[in-house]
Amino acid sequence: MGAQLLDGAAVARAIRAEVAGEVEEYRRRRGSAPKLVAVLVGDDPASTVYVRNKVAACGEVGLRSEEVRFPATVPQEVLLDRIGALNADPDVDGILVQLPLPKGLERIPVLLAIDPQKDVDGLHPANSGRLLMNLPAPVPCTPAGVIELLDRYRIPIRGRRAVIVGRSEIVGKPLAVLLLQRDATVTICHSKTDDLPGVTRQADILVAAIGRPAFIRAEHIRPGAAVVDVGINRVDDAGLAASYLGKDSPRLRLMRERGFVLIGDVHPVEGMAQAGHLSPVPGGVGPLTIACLLRNTLRVARARREGAAR
Ligand code: GUN
Protein backbone atom coordinates (compact mmCIF):
# COMPACT_ATOMS: atom_id res chain seq x y z
CA MET A 1 0.00 0.00 0.00
CA GLY A 2 1.40 3.42 -0.95
CA ALA A 3 1.19 6.72 0.89
CA GLN A 4 -1.38 9.30 -0.10
CA LEU A 5 0.46 12.12 -1.84
CA LEU A 6 0.21 15.59 -0.30
CA ASP A 7 -0.24 17.62 -3.47
CA GLY A 8 1.46 20.89 -2.61
CA ALA A 9 1.06 22.21 -6.13
CA ALA A 10 -2.75 21.93 -5.86
CA VAL A 11 -2.81 23.59 -2.42
CA ALA A 12 -0.50 26.31 -3.74
CA ARG A 13 -2.90 26.97 -6.65
CA ALA A 14 -5.75 27.44 -4.17
CA ILE A 15 -3.71 29.89 -2.07
CA ARG A 16 -2.58 31.79 -5.16
CA ALA A 17 -6.18 32.13 -6.32
CA GLU A 18 -7.13 33.54 -2.90
CA VAL A 19 -4.17 35.95 -2.97
CA ALA A 20 -4.97 37.04 -6.55
CA GLY A 21 -8.50 38.03 -5.52
CA GLU A 22 -7.22 40.02 -2.55
CA VAL A 23 -4.49 41.71 -4.62
CA GLU A 24 -7.09 42.82 -7.14
CA GLU A 25 -9.23 44.24 -4.36
CA TYR A 26 -6.16 46.01 -2.88
CA ARG A 27 -5.23 47.44 -6.27
CA ARG A 28 -8.72 48.79 -6.86
CA ARG A 29 -8.75 50.40 -3.44
CA ARG A 30 -5.22 51.86 -3.51
CA GLY A 31 -4.46 52.37 -7.21
CA SER A 32 -1.49 49.99 -7.43
CA ALA A 33 -0.64 46.49 -6.28
CA PRO A 34 1.95 45.69 -3.59
CA LYS A 35 5.53 45.39 -4.81
CA LEU A 36 8.12 42.74 -3.92
CA VAL A 37 11.84 43.15 -4.55
CA ALA A 38 13.86 39.93 -4.68
CA VAL A 39 17.61 40.31 -4.28
CA LEU A 40 19.83 37.62 -5.82
CA VAL A 41 23.57 37.64 -5.14
CA GLY A 42 25.75 35.45 -7.36
CA ASP A 43 24.67 32.90 -9.93
CA ASP A 44 23.97 29.71 -8.02
CA PRO A 45 21.73 27.80 -10.47
CA ALA A 46 19.15 26.71 -7.89
CA SER A 47 18.86 30.19 -6.35
CA THR A 48 18.59 31.73 -9.81
CA VAL A 49 15.66 29.45 -10.64
CA TYR A 50 13.97 30.09 -7.28
CA VAL A 51 14.16 33.86 -7.70
CA ARG A 52 12.95 33.66 -11.29
CA ASN A 53 10.00 31.53 -10.13
CA LYS A 54 9.19 33.96 -7.30
CA VAL A 55 9.16 36.95 -9.62
CA ALA A 56 7.05 35.09 -12.20
CA ALA A 57 4.59 34.01 -9.50
CA CYS A 58 4.13 37.65 -8.43
CA GLY A 59 3.02 38.52 -11.94
CA GLU A 60 0.54 35.64 -11.98
CA VAL A 61 -1.33 36.98 -8.93
CA GLY A 62 -1.11 40.64 -9.96
CA LEU A 63 1.68 41.68 -7.56
CA ARG A 64 4.40 44.01 -8.83
CA SER A 65 7.94 42.71 -8.52
CA GLU A 66 11.53 43.45 -9.35
CA GLU A 67 14.66 41.33 -9.33
CA VAL A 68 17.85 43.01 -8.14
CA ARG A 69 21.05 41.14 -9.00
CA PHE A 70 24.57 41.48 -7.68
CA PRO A 71 27.70 39.54 -8.59
CA ALA A 72 28.98 37.09 -5.97
CA THR A 73 31.92 39.44 -5.43
CA VAL A 74 29.75 42.38 -4.32
CA PRO A 75 31.18 44.05 -1.19
CA GLN A 76 28.96 43.58 1.85
CA GLU A 77 28.57 47.40 2.27
CA VAL A 78 27.23 47.76 -1.27
CA LEU A 79 24.61 45.10 -0.60
CA LEU A 80 23.68 46.70 2.74
CA ASP A 81 23.43 50.14 1.11
CA ARG A 82 21.07 48.79 -1.51
CA ILE A 83 18.90 47.18 1.17
CA GLY A 84 18.86 50.54 2.97
CA ALA A 85 17.65 52.21 -0.22
CA LEU A 86 14.89 49.60 -0.65
CA ASN A 87 13.86 50.14 2.99
CA ALA A 88 13.59 53.89 2.32
CA ASP A 89 11.67 53.50 -0.95
CA PRO A 90 7.97 53.96 -0.13
CA ASP A 91 6.98 52.12 -3.32
CA VAL A 92 8.63 48.89 -2.11
CA ASP A 93 6.43 46.77 0.16
CA GLY A 94 8.41 43.55 0.52
CA ILE A 95 12.12 42.68 0.36
CA LEU A 96 13.73 39.27 0.27
CA VAL A 97 17.38 38.34 -0.10
CA GLN A 98 17.69 34.85 -1.54
CA LEU A 99 19.69 32.48 0.68
CA PRO A 100 22.25 31.04 0.91
CA LEU A 101 24.53 33.98 0.15
CA PRO A 102 27.80 33.29 -1.70
CA LYS A 103 30.94 32.66 0.40
CA GLY A 104 32.43 35.87 1.79
CA LEU A 105 29.08 37.48 2.57
CA GLU A 106 27.54 37.26 6.00
CA ARG A 107 23.91 36.34 6.28
CA ILE A 108 23.11 37.84 9.68
CA PRO A 109 23.99 41.51 8.95
CA VAL A 110 22.04 41.24 5.70
CA LEU A 111 18.95 39.89 7.41
CA LEU A 112 19.26 42.50 10.17
CA ALA A 113 19.43 45.26 7.55
CA ILE A 114 15.97 44.52 6.14
CA ASP A 115 13.21 46.74 7.56
CA PRO A 116 11.11 44.30 9.67
CA GLN A 117 7.99 45.86 8.16
CA LYS A 118 9.16 44.76 4.69
CA ASP A 119 10.58 41.40 5.77
CA VAL A 120 8.48 38.97 3.71
CA ASP A 121 10.63 36.02 4.85
CA GLY A 122 9.94 36.74 8.53
CA LEU A 123 13.63 36.14 9.32
CA HIS A 124 14.43 39.45 11.06
CA PRO A 125 14.67 38.89 14.83
CA ALA A 126 11.95 41.49 15.36
CA ASN A 127 9.65 39.12 13.46
CA SER A 128 11.01 35.79 14.70
CA GLY A 129 10.70 37.20 18.22
CA ARG A 130 7.10 38.17 17.57
CA LEU A 131 6.46 34.68 16.25
CA LEU A 132 7.87 33.22 19.48
CA MET A 133 5.51 35.48 21.45
CA ASN A 134 2.54 34.52 19.31
CA LEU A 135 2.13 38.08 18.03
CA PRO A 136 1.14 38.84 14.43
CA ALA A 137 4.24 38.72 12.20
CA PRO A 138 5.18 37.51 8.73
CA VAL A 139 5.82 33.78 9.13
CA PRO A 140 8.74 32.23 7.20
CA CYS A 141 7.31 30.92 3.96
CA THR A 142 8.35 27.25 4.03
CA PRO A 143 7.13 26.57 7.59
CA ALA A 144 3.88 28.38 6.77
CA GLY A 145 3.56 26.14 3.71
CA VAL A 146 4.05 22.98 5.75
CA ILE A 147 1.24 23.98 8.13
CA GLU A 148 -1.03 24.82 5.17
CA LEU A 149 -0.36 21.42 3.65
CA LEU A 150 -1.22 19.58 6.87
CA ASP A 151 -4.35 21.70 7.41
CA ARG A 152 -5.73 21.39 3.91
CA TYR A 153 -5.34 17.61 4.07
CA ARG A 154 -6.96 17.65 7.53
CA ILE A 155 -4.00 15.96 9.17
CA PRO A 156 -4.49 16.57 12.89
CA ILE A 157 -1.73 18.48 14.69
CA ARG A 158 -3.09 19.01 18.18
CA GLY A 159 -1.72 16.46 20.64
CA ARG A 160 0.28 14.66 17.94
CA ARG A 161 3.98 13.93 18.09
CA ALA A 162 5.79 16.03 15.51
CA VAL A 163 9.46 15.43 14.78
CA ILE A 164 11.44 17.88 12.66
CA VAL A 165 14.80 16.81 11.29
CA GLY A 166 16.80 20.02 10.79
CA ARG A 167 17.25 23.06 13.02
CA SER A 168 17.71 25.88 10.50
CA GLU A 169 16.46 29.38 11.20
CA ILE A 170 14.52 29.35 7.96
CA VAL A 171 12.64 26.05 8.44
CA GLY A 172 13.29 23.89 11.51
CA LYS A 173 13.13 26.46 14.29
CA PRO A 174 10.13 28.50 13.09
CA LEU A 175 8.24 25.34 12.14
CA ALA A 176 8.76 24.00 15.68
CA VAL A 177 7.18 27.20 17.04
CA LEU A 178 4.20 26.96 14.67
CA LEU A 179 3.59 23.30 15.55
CA LEU A 180 3.86 24.11 19.27
CA GLN A 181 1.31 26.90 18.84
CA ARG A 182 -0.99 24.27 17.38
CA ASP A 183 -0.49 22.04 20.44
CA ALA A 184 1.74 19.38 18.89
CA THR A 185 4.42 17.73 21.01
CA VAL A 186 7.51 18.81 19.14
CA THR A 187 11.01 17.37 18.87
CA ILE A 188 13.77 18.90 16.78
CA CYS A 189 16.52 16.52 15.65
CA HIS A 190 19.84 17.40 14.03
CA SER A 191 23.20 15.97 13.04
CA LYS A 192 24.19 15.26 16.66
CA THR A 193 20.97 13.49 17.66
CA ASP A 194 21.60 10.04 19.15
CA ASP A 195 19.62 7.20 17.58
CA LEU A 196 17.90 9.36 14.97
CA PRO A 197 15.71 6.55 13.60
CA GLY A 198 14.54 5.76 17.13
CA VAL A 199 13.40 9.37 17.58
CA THR A 200 11.89 9.91 14.13
CA ARG A 201 9.95 6.64 14.38
CA GLN A 202 7.99 8.22 17.23
CA ALA A 203 6.55 10.81 14.88
CA ASP A 204 2.94 11.06 13.80
CA ILE A 205 4.13 14.00 11.70
CA LEU A 206 7.70 13.80 10.41
CA VAL A 207 9.25 16.80 8.67
CA ALA A 208 12.56 16.37 6.85
CA ALA A 209 14.49 19.62 6.38
CA ILE A 210 18.16 18.71 6.30
CA GLY A 211 19.23 19.17 2.70
CA ARG A 212 20.57 15.65 2.09
CA PRO A 213 19.04 13.61 -0.72
CA ALA A 214 17.03 10.53 0.32
CA PHE A 215 18.46 10.69 3.84
CA ILE A 216 15.22 9.63 5.54
CA ARG A 217 14.72 5.93 4.90
CA ALA A 218 12.06 3.38 5.82
CA GLU A 219 13.74 2.79 9.19
CA HIS A 220 13.08 6.45 10.15
CA ILE A 221 9.35 6.39 9.43
CA ARG A 222 6.59 5.03 11.63
CA PRO A 223 4.22 3.11 9.32
CA GLY A 224 1.32 5.40 8.46
CA ALA A 225 3.01 8.65 9.57
CA ALA A 226 2.43 11.92 7.71
CA VAL A 227 5.80 12.77 6.18
CA VAL A 228 6.52 16.24 4.84
CA ASP A 229 9.64 16.51 2.71
CA VAL A 230 11.12 20.00 2.66
CA GLY A 231 14.36 19.04 0.88
CA ILE A 232 15.01 20.02 -2.72
CA ASN A 233 18.37 18.52 -3.69
CA ARG A 234 19.86 18.47 -7.17
CA VAL A 235 21.30 15.03 -7.93
CA ASP A 236 23.44 14.90 -11.07
CA ASP A 237 24.84 11.37 -10.72
CA ALA A 238 22.76 8.97 -12.82
CA GLY A 239 23.64 5.95 -10.68
CA LEU A 240 22.64 7.69 -7.47
CA ALA A 241 19.43 8.98 -9.04
CA ALA A 242 18.55 5.43 -10.14
CA SER A 243 19.25 4.13 -6.64
CA TYR A 244 16.79 6.69 -5.22
CA LEU A 245 14.07 6.52 -7.86
CA GLY A 246 14.32 2.90 -9.01
CA LYS A 247 15.97 1.98 -12.31
CA ASP A 248 12.65 1.99 -14.22
CA SER A 249 11.56 5.46 -13.09
CA PRO A 250 10.44 7.72 -15.95
CA ARG A 251 12.17 10.57 -14.14
CA LEU A 252 15.55 9.13 -15.14
CA ARG A 253 14.83 10.31 -18.68
CA LEU A 254 14.59 13.86 -17.30
CA MET A 255 17.94 13.25 -15.66
CA ARG A 256 19.47 12.46 -19.07
CA GLU A 257 17.84 15.51 -20.70
CA ARG A 258 18.56 18.13 -18.03
CA GLY A 259 21.58 16.65 -16.30
CA PHE A 260 19.98 16.48 -12.87
CA VAL A 261 16.87 15.41 -10.97
CA LEU A 262 15.39 16.91 -7.83
CA ILE A 263 15.37 14.52 -4.89
CA GLY A 264 13.90 15.35 -1.50
CA ASP A 265 15.34 14.55 1.91
CA VAL A 266 13.08 11.48 2.06
CA HIS A 267 13.92 8.38 0.03
CA PRO A 268 11.11 8.56 -2.54
CA VAL A 269 10.45 4.83 -2.90
CA GLU A 270 10.85 3.89 0.76
CA GLY A 271 8.87 6.96 1.84
CA MET A 272 5.94 5.99 -0.38
CA ALA A 273 5.99 2.43 0.96
CA GLN A 274 6.15 3.35 4.63
CA ALA A 275 4.30 6.67 5.16
CA GLY A 276 0.54 7.24 5.37
CA HIS A 277 0.90 10.64 3.68
CA LEU A 278 3.94 11.94 1.83
CA SER A 279 4.67 15.25 0.14
CA PRO A 280 6.44 14.60 -3.17
CA VAL A 281 9.54 16.36 -4.49
CA PRO A 282 9.01 18.20 -6.74
CA GLY A 283 5.40 19.34 -6.31
CA GLY A 284 5.14 19.24 -2.52
CA VAL A 285 6.39 21.98 -0.25
CA GLY A 286 8.25 23.96 -2.96
CA PRO A 287 5.17 25.51 -4.61
CA LEU A 288 3.74 26.29 -1.17
CA THR A 289 6.82 28.28 -0.19
CA ILE A 290 6.18 30.57 -3.14
CA ALA A 291 2.43 30.80 -2.50
CA CYS A 292 3.09 31.80 1.13
CA LEU A 293 5.62 34.41 -0.04
CA LEU A 294 2.93 35.99 -2.22
CA ARG A 295 0.52 36.03 0.70
CA ASN A 296 3.18 37.55 2.97
CA THR A 297 3.85 40.29 0.42
CA LEU A 298 0.19 41.25 0.43
CA ARG A 299 0.01 41.09 4.22
CA VAL A 300 3.09 43.24 4.89
CA ALA A 301 1.82 45.83 2.39
CA ARG A 302 -1.52 45.99 4.17
CA ALA A 303 0.15 46.14 7.57
CA ARG A 304 2.57 48.94 6.65
CA ARG A 305 0.17 51.03 4.59
CA GLU A 306 -3.11 50.36 6.34
CA GLY A 307 -2.16 49.22 9.82
CA ALA A 308 -3.72 45.79 9.30
CA ALA A 309 -2.47 42.91 11.47
CA ARG A 310 0.37 41.03 9.81
N1 GUN B 1 16.43 29.91 0.25
C1 GUN B 1 15.71 28.77 0.38
N2 GUN B 1 14.47 29.05 0.83
C2 GUN B 1 14.40 30.39 1.00
C3 GUN B 1 13.38 31.27 1.46
O1 GUN B 1 12.26 30.89 1.81
N3 GUN B 1 13.72 32.60 1.48
C4 GUN B 1 14.95 33.05 1.13
N4 GUN B 1 15.18 34.36 1.21
N5 GUN B 1 15.92 32.25 0.71
C5 GUN B 1 15.64 30.92 0.64
Side-chain angles (χ1 to χ4, degrees), residues 54 96-99 121 142 170 289:
K54 288 174 182 181
L96 76 83
V97 178
Q98 186 66 25
L99 300 173
D121 271 325
T142 301
I170 201 163
T289 297

Side-chain angles (χ1 to χ4, degrees), residues 108-140:
I108 304 272
V110 169
L111 295 179
L112 286 173
I114 297 173
D115 179 344
Q117 288 197 313
K118 298 188 177 186
D119 171 29
V120 283
D121 271 325
L123 296 176
H124 190 288
N127 288 322
S128 50
R130 290 178 67 91
L131 180 68
L132 271 180
M133 298 184 79
N134 213 356
L135 293 168
V139 173

Side-chain angles (χ1 to χ4, degrees), residues 223-279:
V227 179
V228 181
D229 191 350
V230 172
I232 304 177
N233 308 290
R234 284 183 175 221
V235 171
D236 54 15
D237 178 310
L240 263 185
S243 79
Y244 298 147
L245 295 168
K247 64 179 173 35
D248 298 326
S249 168
R251 288 179 60 202
L252 293 177
R253 190 166 54 81
L254 217 65
M255 160 103 225
R256 286 189 290 274
E257 285 165 12
R258 284 197 314 199
F260 68 91
V261 279
L262 297 178
I263 300 287
D265 289 351
V266 179
H267 192 290
V269 175
E270 295 183 16
M272 276 305 287
Q274 189 82 348
H277 293 85
L278 176 65
S279 71

Side-chain angles (χ1 to χ4, degrees), residues 66-127:
E66 185 185 330
E67 183 180 332
V68 171
R69 291 191 75 150
F70 287 104
T73 52
V74 67
Q76 181 112 359
E77 314 81 70
V78 173
L79 181 56
L80 294 180
D81 279 355
R82 186 59 181 267
I83 293 171
L86 295 170
N87 288 341
D89 183 345
D91 192 42
V92 173
D93 293 288
I95 303 168
L96 76 83
V97 178
Q98 186 66 25
L99 300 173
L101 289 169
K103 283 204 178 59
L105 290 168
E106 284 178 60
R107 178 176 51 98
I108 304 272
V110 169
L111 295 179
L112 286 173
I114 297 173
D115 179 344
Q117 288 197 313
K118 298 188 177 186
D119 171 29
V120 283
D121 271 325
L123 296 176
H124 190 288
N127 288 322

